[in-house]
């Protein structure tokens, strides 16, 4: 399941960032203010952006994993599947319910926005890195939904890895804005690519829901809060567990 999660995160970042260029692309384009394109500044900015996603994913993984309740763990697995479906619908413009997350994060973004505005125009790699670190708190439904989804993993390392893959997926679109590569932007906005990624995300979500429903008893044994002593391994038929 880890591989499926990583692929889903990459796909969401790839097409989702192209989908959201109208809202998020302005800051990336700001790297070219004054007509000076600095590759070190651009790399520093996008490195900070991916790092912000990764650190936030790790933080949410710690918070979600700190609750040692079986019902909580299984509920988060169901939430993960539903969020994958919702994100697929969001990318395809079939349902915009994820925008609720933007409204929830708007107040959090205001003080960060005041700080980040002082960094523009970007002239040094350090400024670019600082601006990139602010990016993860931007009121963007795509980013917030990916963060919420990564938190359902209940693991700092896995949640951080999912957000790192998501960040890597956003690089083509965001780098294209920073460097003025209009052809890349046009490719990522193609309807056919969006539809393919949408169907993949929805299928991943449905598969996740199926696994939780079909293997709920096994998940209860694996969930935090279930001690090894509670499991009578001597009576378990391991040949039927599908390992």
């Amino acid at each position: 399941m880890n591989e499926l999660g990583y692929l889903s995160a990459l796909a969401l970042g790839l097409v989702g960032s192209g989908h959201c260029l109208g809202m998020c692309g302005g800051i990336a384009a700001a790297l070219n203010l004054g007509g000076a394109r600095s590759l070190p500044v651009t790399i520093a900015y996008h490195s900070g952006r991916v790092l912000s996603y990764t650190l936030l994913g790790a933080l949410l993984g710690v918070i979600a994993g700190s609750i040692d309740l079986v019902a909580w763990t299984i509920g988060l697995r169901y939430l993960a599947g539903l969020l994958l479906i919702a994100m697929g619908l969001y990318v395809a413009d079939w349902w915009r319910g994820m925008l609720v997350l933007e409204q929830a994060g708007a107040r959090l973004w205001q003080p960060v926005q005041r700080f980040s505005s002082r960094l523009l125009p970007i002239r040094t790699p350090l400024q670019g890195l600082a601006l990139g670190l602010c990016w993860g708190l931007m009121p963007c439904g795509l980013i917030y939904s990916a963060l919420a989804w990564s938190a359902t993993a209940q693991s700092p390392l896995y949640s951080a890895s999912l957000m790192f893959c998501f960040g890597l997926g956003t690089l083509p679109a965001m780098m294209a804005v920073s460097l003025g590569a209009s052809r890349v932007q046009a490719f990522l906005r193609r309807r056919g690519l969006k539809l393919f990624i949408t169907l993949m995300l929805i299928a991943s979500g449905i598969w996740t829901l199926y696994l939780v429903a079909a293997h709920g008893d096994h998940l209860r044994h694996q969930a935090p809060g279930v001690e090894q002593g509670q499991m009578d391994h001597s009576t378990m038929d391991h040949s039927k567990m599908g390992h």
Side-chain angles (χ1 to χ4, degrees), residues 3-222:
E3 293 78 5
L4 180 60
Y6 294 144
L7 287 174
S8 297
L10 278 168
L12 179 65
L14 178 67
V15 176
S17 58
H19 176 69
C20 297
L21 282 178
M23 178 183 66
C24 304
I27 294 182
L31 293 173
N32 284 334
L33 288 179
R37 293 183 181 179
S38 171
L39 186 59
V41 167
T42 300
I43 293 175
Y45 163 72
H46 289 292
S47 297
R49 190 171 56 78
V50 175
L51 179 59
S52 73
Y53 299 153
T54 305
L55 293 175
L56 287 171
L59 175 62
L60 292 176
V62 169
I63 295 173
S66 65
I67 302 177
D68 293 339
L69 294 175
V70 176
W72 168 257
T73 298
I74 294 178
L76 285 178
R77 301 288 178 90
Y78 278 115
L79 179 60
L82 293 174
L83 281 172
L84 280 170
I85 295 172
M87 288 187 289
L89 297 175
Y90 177 79
V91 167
D93 276 330
W94 292 343
W95 184 64
R96 305 288 286 175
M98 303 305 291
L99 295 179
V100 174
L101 293 173
E102 293 182 9
Q103 299 172 358
R107 292 186 178 181
L108 178 63
W109 170 246
Q110 290 176 0
V112 180
Q113 184 180 35
R114 288 193 292 269
F115 170 77
S116 63
S117 63
R118 301 174 186 173
L119 301 172
L120 298 174
I122 302 298
R123 295 186 176 89
T124 68
L126 185 58
Q127 286 179 304
L129 180 66
L131 182 63
L133 286 170
C134 294
W135 186 281
L137 297 176
M138 174 178 287
C140 172
L142 176 71
I143 297 173
Y144 287 176
S145 58
L147 284 169
W149 170 55
S150 72
T152 64
Q154 289 184 279
S155 164
L157 181 59
Y158 187 35
S159 297
S161 298
L162 286 174
M163 290 309 298
F164 177 74
C165 289
F166 170 79
L168 291 182
T170 66
L171 283 177
M174 294 296 113
M175 288 290 289
V177 172
S178 299
L179 302 176
S182 58
R183 290 186 178 180
V184 176
Q185 298 176 47
F187 172 75
L188 293 174
R189 288 172 170 170
R190 293 183 62 176
R191 185 66 183 174
L193 181 60
K194 285 186 180 182
L195 181 60
F196 173 76
I197 299 299
T198 291
L199 295 177
M200 192 186 85
L201 288 171
I202 292 175
S204 297
I206 293 173
W207 179 247
T208 299
L209 294 176
Y210 164 75
L211 288 177
V212 179
H215 304 286
D217 290 339
H218 188 53
L219 286 172
R220 287 184 178 88
H221 292 308
Q222 292 181 324

